[in-house]
């Protein structure tokens, strides 16, 4: 397990990991409520986070460890296409700026904890709420598993192999999440984000300097992609790749704040201004993400070979290891240790929030709705705490017992299916024009299209001389060829966009039919002014009296 | 958080707060970052380079600054 381990790196990694774990446990006492035995306390940190905490929390939540290893890995592999993460995270904030404050207001008046809570009240349909909740849980689970892939990449680069360290790390994470709820990731996010900022800023100054400047770096990338037979890679986007780039950015942006863990962090904020200010301030992370993506090119220039790759056999190896390997190569051991800790801790924050969000969906929309209708706040909190453990064990088993590729495939599907809750949740914040049964039909249509399109996308490998081998027949990517619709082009489109279009069409047509048939609408438990209520509004629910 | 007596509850309904809205002409500014990023032919070029970095990369990094400016402006102008 510890052969060829770099002692200095591992020591610093372990020290920082222990410090952060201690913080996770202490967090239970931070901004302390009288009693953590309430879902508003355990699951939403008291619904009272100010602008700074929210900035660190959302930053730590949305920019995950997996993002930090996978985006540069993608740039390393295909170049410009991997940079989609930048436009994606540029447009997401202006896109959701007005939507999220509405969600915050109506949620605070009614005490909603999950997006499915809102759907239930707005559309008067517990079936639709259940579908939204299940979609959220299914989309979040593999995302948690992928955080483990992030930690694993770092451990591999330090020379630590085997599953035991991974199990230990996750057990500690599970324990303090159970103990402290959302306060734990909120407090740890301060450390995580500070480390990430320091590491990336040092990296983009030191590494290009060592490698002879940006000209050299992009030159090396140019050489690599010119030699490669893949028509989709390059320092710029190939013609057919442009549509894919734009639709992937748009689809990912639309999906981001439909994920339950994003909603959890938003609902934990104190008032509307906290959200508005954060929408303006969060792009600071996008800037870091952009710089990070460029590390992929630096790894090309530095001649980094992914762990497990073999030039003779042509095995690609684990591309996720390139950033840790680059740090290992370019930094002194002590700083590489800090960099690895930043990524490792970076996995803990989102994993904690995601498991809390999934647990809240379970509690509010399945447990309370179908198992124990009269659950007390204390029972709700307990149900969520236990569910958060189950979710983490599930993620761990998925990574250890199954091929991690399974989680990667599921996460790919997850992004597409979470987008199918857009009409019920995001559009629902504006209008109730869509009939509740049409929304259900639209959701089903979107899911069906999502699976069919993703199933049909193979992963290809381009050999010398234009030889194409199919590496994986199904779930090999998210770019659906437009030629399948009869267009004479090589361009591909993000499968999520195809699925959401199908969803919206069915919603609209279904609504017209159901209205004509005079099928009754559900009852709307919300009223128009509630979407603008702020913290000073007397209608706002106070934190329910603490239950002892 | 303050605790409101039930008597306060009537104050909130039907008074000035009910007129609150998120409509503002300034909101249209939020479209600018979308237009700048969602049409790749706009920036899918190598030149002009900045510090030897191709246009494609530094332009999109620059749009982050535009996005922040626009969002801040909308926030300031539409504050109620």
């Amino acid at each position: 397990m510890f052969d060829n381990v770099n002692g200095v790196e591992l020591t610093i990694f372990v020290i920082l990991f222990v410090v952060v774990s201690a913080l996770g446990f202490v967090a239970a006492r931070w901004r302390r409520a009288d009693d953590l035995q309430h879902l508003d306390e355990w699951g939403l940190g008291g619904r009272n986070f100010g602008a700074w905490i929210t900035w660190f929390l959302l930053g730590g939540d949305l920019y995950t460890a997996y993002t930090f290893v996978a985006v540069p890995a993608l740039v390393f592999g295909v170049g410009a296409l991997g940079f989609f993460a930048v436009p994606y995270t540029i447009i997401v904030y202006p896109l959701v700026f007005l939507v999220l404050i509405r969600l915050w207001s109506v949620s605070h008046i009614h005490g909603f904890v999950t997006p499915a809570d809102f759907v239930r009240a707005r559309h008067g349909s517990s079936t639709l709420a259940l579908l939204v909740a299940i979609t959220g849980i299914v989309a979040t689970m593999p995302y948690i598993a992928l955080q483990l892939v992030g930690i694993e990449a770092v451990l591999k680069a330090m020379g630590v192999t085997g599953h035991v360290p991974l199990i230990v790390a996750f057990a500690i994470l599970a324990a303090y999440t159970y103990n402290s709820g959302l306060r734990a990731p909120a407090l740890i996010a301060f450390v995580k984000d500070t480390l990430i900022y320091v590491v990336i800023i040092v990296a983009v100054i030191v590494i290009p300097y060592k490698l002879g400047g940006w000209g050299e770096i992009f030159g090396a990338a140019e050489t690599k992609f010119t030699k490669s037979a893949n028509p989709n890679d390059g320092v710029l986007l190939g013609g057919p790749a442009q549509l894919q780039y734009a639709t992937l950015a748009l689809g990912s942006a639309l999906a981001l704040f439909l994920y339950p863990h994003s909603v959890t962090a938003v609902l934990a904020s104190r008032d509307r201004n906290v959200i508005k200010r954060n929408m303006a301030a969060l792009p600071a992370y996008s800037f870091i993400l952009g710089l990070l993506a460029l590390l992929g090119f630096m790894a090309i220039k530095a001649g980094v070979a992914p762990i497990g790759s073999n030039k003779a056999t042509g095995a690609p190896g684990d591309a996720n290891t390139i950033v840790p390997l680059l740090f290992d190569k370019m930094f002194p051991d002590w700083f590489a240790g800090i960099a690895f800790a930043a990524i490792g801790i970076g996995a803990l924050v989102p994993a904690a929030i995601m498991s809390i969000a999934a647990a809240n969906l379970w509690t509010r929309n399945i447990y309370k709705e179908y198992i124990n209708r009269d659950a007390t706040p204390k029972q709700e909190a307990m149900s969520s705490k236990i569910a958060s453990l189950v979710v983490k064990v599930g993620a761990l088993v998925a990574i250890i017992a199954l091929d991690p590729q399974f989680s990667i495939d599921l996460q790919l599907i997850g992004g597409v299916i979470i987008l199918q809750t857009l009409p019920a949740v995001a559009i629902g914040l504006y209008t109730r024009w869509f009939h509740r049964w049409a929304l259900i039909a639209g959701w089903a249509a979107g899911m069906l299209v999502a699976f069919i399109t993703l199933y049909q996308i193979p992963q290809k490998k381009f050999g010398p001389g234009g030889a194409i081998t199919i590496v994986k027949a199904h779930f090999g990517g998210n770019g659906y060829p437009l030629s399948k619709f009869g267009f004479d082009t090589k361009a591909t489109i993000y499968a999520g966009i195809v699925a959401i279009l199908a969803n919206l069409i069915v919603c609209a047509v279904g609504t017209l039919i159901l209205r004509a048939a005079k099928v009754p609408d559900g009852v709307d438990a919300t009223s128009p002014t509630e979407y603008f209520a702020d913290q000073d509004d007397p209608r706002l629910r106070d934190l329910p009296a603490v239950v002892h | 958080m303050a605790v409101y007596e039930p008597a306060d509850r009537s104050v909130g309904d039907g008074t000035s707060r009910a007129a609150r809205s998120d409509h503002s002409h300034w909101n249209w500014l939020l479209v600018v970052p979308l237009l700048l990023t969602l049409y790749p032919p706009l920036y899918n070029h190598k030149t002009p380079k900045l510090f030897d970095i191709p246009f494609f990369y530094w332009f999109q990094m620059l749009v982050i600054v535009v996005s922040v400016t626009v969002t801040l402006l909308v926030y300031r102008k539409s504050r109620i």
Side-chain angles (χ1 to χ4, degrees):
Chain A
M1 192 197 313
F2 295 109
D3 304 330
N4 309 316
V5 165
N6 185 321
V8 178
E9 286 173 2
L10 187 64
T11 308
I12 291 179
F13 180 87
V14 169
I15 291 174
L16 283 168
F17 200 92
V18 168
V19 167
V20 155
S21 304
L23 268 183
F25 285 105
V26 172
R29 299 172 165 278
W30 176 52
R31 300 165 65 90
R32 188 188 166 135
D34 292 339
D35 191 347
L36 265 180
Q37 300 304 323
H38 193 292
L39 211 48
D40 279 342
E41 288 297 335
W42 183 85
L44 290 178
R47 292 194 179 229
N48 200 18
F49 287 156
W52 277 102
I53 304 175
T54 303
W55 187 73
F56 279 107
L57 183 66
L58 265 172
D61 187 16
L62 305 180
Y63 301 81
T64 71
Y66 181 68
T67 318
F68 284 160
V69 296
V71 167
L74 200 57
V75 170
F76 177 83
V78 296
L81 200 51
F83 209 65
F84 87 93
V86 172
Y88 154 31
T89 55
I90 289 174
I91 60 176
V92 64
Y93 304 110
L95 208 57
V96 300
F97 182 84
L98 297 165
V99 184
L100 289 181
I101 46 179
R102 279 176 172 248
L103 179 65
W104 184 92
S105 291
V106 72
S107 298
H108 271 237
I109 286 195
H110 289 272
F112 301 148
V113 179
T114 69
D117 283 347
F118 163 71
V119 167
R120 190 183 191 289
R122 175 65 155 170
H123 300 289
S125 167
S126 54
T127 312
L128 187 58
L130 179 67
L131 293 176
V132 170
I134 292 174
T135 313
I137 293 172
V138 172
T140 306
M141 289 280 289
Y143 217 159
I144 301 172
L146 285 192
Q147 301 311 316
L148 286 162
V149 174
I151 300 186
E152 210 169 28
V154 169
L155 290 173
K156 268 190 199 171
M158 284 191 295
V160 180
T161 51
H163 290 311
V164 178
L166 211 54
I167 296 173
V168 172
F170 237 48
I172 297 172
L173 167 72
Y176 65 67
T177 309
Y178 179 90
N179 185 55
S180 312
L182 194 64
R183 283 181 170 80
L187 200 54
I188 294 173
F190 282 95
V191 181
K192 176 232 158 179
D193 295 349
T194 309
L195 285 177
I196 291 275
Y197 274 95
V198 170
V199 167
I200 301 305
I201 288 166
V202 169
V204 294
I205 294 169
V206 170
I207 300 178
Y209 175 77
K210 281 193 171 176
L211 292 175
W214 289 104
E216 292 282 322
I217 291 167
F218 280 100
E222 189 81 59
T223 313
K224 170 182 169 167
F225 294 128
T226 313
K227 265 196 242 162
S228 135
N230 184 346
N232 297 318
D233 64 11
V235 171
L236 290 184
L237 297 169
Q242 300 198 26
L243 180 68
Q244 169 72 8
Y245 187 81
T247 52
L248 185 56
L250 178 64
S252 308
L254 288 172
L256 185 63
F257 276 91
L258 293 168
Y259 270 109
H261 63 274
S262 321
V263 173
T264 299
V266 167
L267 293 187
S269 54
R270 188 177 54 216
D271 56 37
R272 284 162 68 99
N273 274 338
V274 166
I275 301 170
K276 288 184 188 174
R277 286 163 70 180
N278 267 285
M279 292 302 116
L282 278 166
Y285 287 95
S286 307
F287 201 81
I288 291 294
L289 184 60
L291 296 175
L292 203 96
L294 297 178
L295 290 179
F297 290 132
M298 296 179 207
I300 296 176
K301 169 65 188 166
V304 170
I307 288 179
S309 66
N310 188 329
K311 269 214 172 111
T313 62
D318 180 3
N320 286 333
T321 55
I322 60 133
V323 164
L325 288 176
L326 180 70
F327 287 163
D328 189 47
K329 198 168 181 173
M330 307 306 291
F331 290 145
D333 287 351
W334 66 271
F335 195 75
I338 294 179
F340 293 166
I343 298 176
I345 297 165
L348 302 179
V349 173
I353 307 174
M354 286 167 190
S355 65
I356 289 171
N360 288 348
L361 282 170
W362 154 260
T363 298
R364 297 280 302 188
N365 309 106
I366 298 174
Y367 170 75
K368 196 174 158 77
E369 185 80 38
Y370 295 99
I371 300 173
N372 182 2
R373 272 190 170 269
D374 307 313
T376 62
K378 194 169 179 171
Q379 283 175 321
E380 279 188 37
M382 203 56 207
S383 158
S384 266
K385 289 171 87 168
I386 293 170
S388 84
L389 293 181
V390 175
V391 164
K392 282 200 209 65
V393 172
L396 197 58
V397 171
I399 288 297
I400 291 178
L402 307 170
D403 186 350
Q405 187 60 44
F406 180 69
S407 297
I408 295 172
D409 290 355
L410 276 183
Q411 205 264 344
L412 177 79
I413 300 170
V416 177
I417 66 170
I418 198 70
L419 193 51
Q420 305 316 315
T421 63
L422 180 96
V425 181
I427 299 178
L429 284 164
Y430 283 88
T431 171
R432 290 186 82 241
W433 185 78
F434 286 137
H435 193 279
R436 52 182 170 156
W437 289 105
L439 284 168
I440 291 172
W443 175 89
M447 296 298 260
L448 193 67
V449 172
F451 279 104
I452 293 174
T453 48
L454 290 171
Y455 183 79
Q456 288 181 348
I457 299 170
Q459 186 185 348
K460 296 175 188 163
K461 197 176 142 204
F462 298 87
I468 299 175
T469 41
I470 305 289
V471 184
K472 268 177 80 197
H474 308 293
F475 301 114
N478 52 27
Y480 192 71
L482 279 180
S483 56
K484 298 230 185 203
F485 295 116
F487 293 102
D488 181 24
T489 169
K490 279 185 175 156
T492 58
I493 183 168
Y494 176 46
I497 296 288
V498 180
I500 189 63
L501 285 176
N503 184 336
L504 288 170
I505 291 168
V506 171
C507 280
V509 174
T511 298
L512 293 174
I513 295 172
L514 289 159
R515 291 269 146 76
K518 300 213 174 1
V519 178
D521 277 308
V523 179
D524 184 3
T526 69
S527 75
T529 57
E530 290 172 352
Y531 292 84
F532 310 114
D534 207 347
Q535 215 226 353
D536 56 354
D537 196 308
R539 290 172 302 172
L540 218 62
R541 266 176 42 139
D542 278 309
L543 283 184
V546 171
V547 182
H548 289 285
Chain B
M1 265 178 135
V3 176
Y4 292 96
E5 296 300 322
D8 281 357
R9 205 161 277 272
S10 56
V11 181
D13 294 324
T15 54
S16 62
R17 273 189 200 93
R20 230 182 220 164
S21 143
D22 53 9
H23 290 280
S24 163
H25 291 305
W26 289 98
N27 291 347
W28 286 103
L29 271 180
L30 295 173
V31 180
V32 173
L34 272 69
L35 293 179
L36 287 177
T37 45
L38 290 181
Y39 186 67
L42 184 68
Y43 50 80
N44 195 22
H45 313 290
K46 275 195 184 127
T47 51
K49 289 188 177 182
L50 182 72
F51 307 119
D52 289 336
I53 299 173
F55 184 71
F56 180 85
Y57 298 92
W58 68 259
F59 173 79
Q60 293 182 73
M61 298 293 270
L62 193 68
V63 179
I64 298 178
V65 181
V66 174
S67 178
V68 170
T69 313
V70 159
T71 315
L72 268 181
L73 203 63
V74 173
Y75 165 54
R76 296 269 176 221
K77 294 292 179 185
S78 63
R79 196 155 48 173
I80 302 162

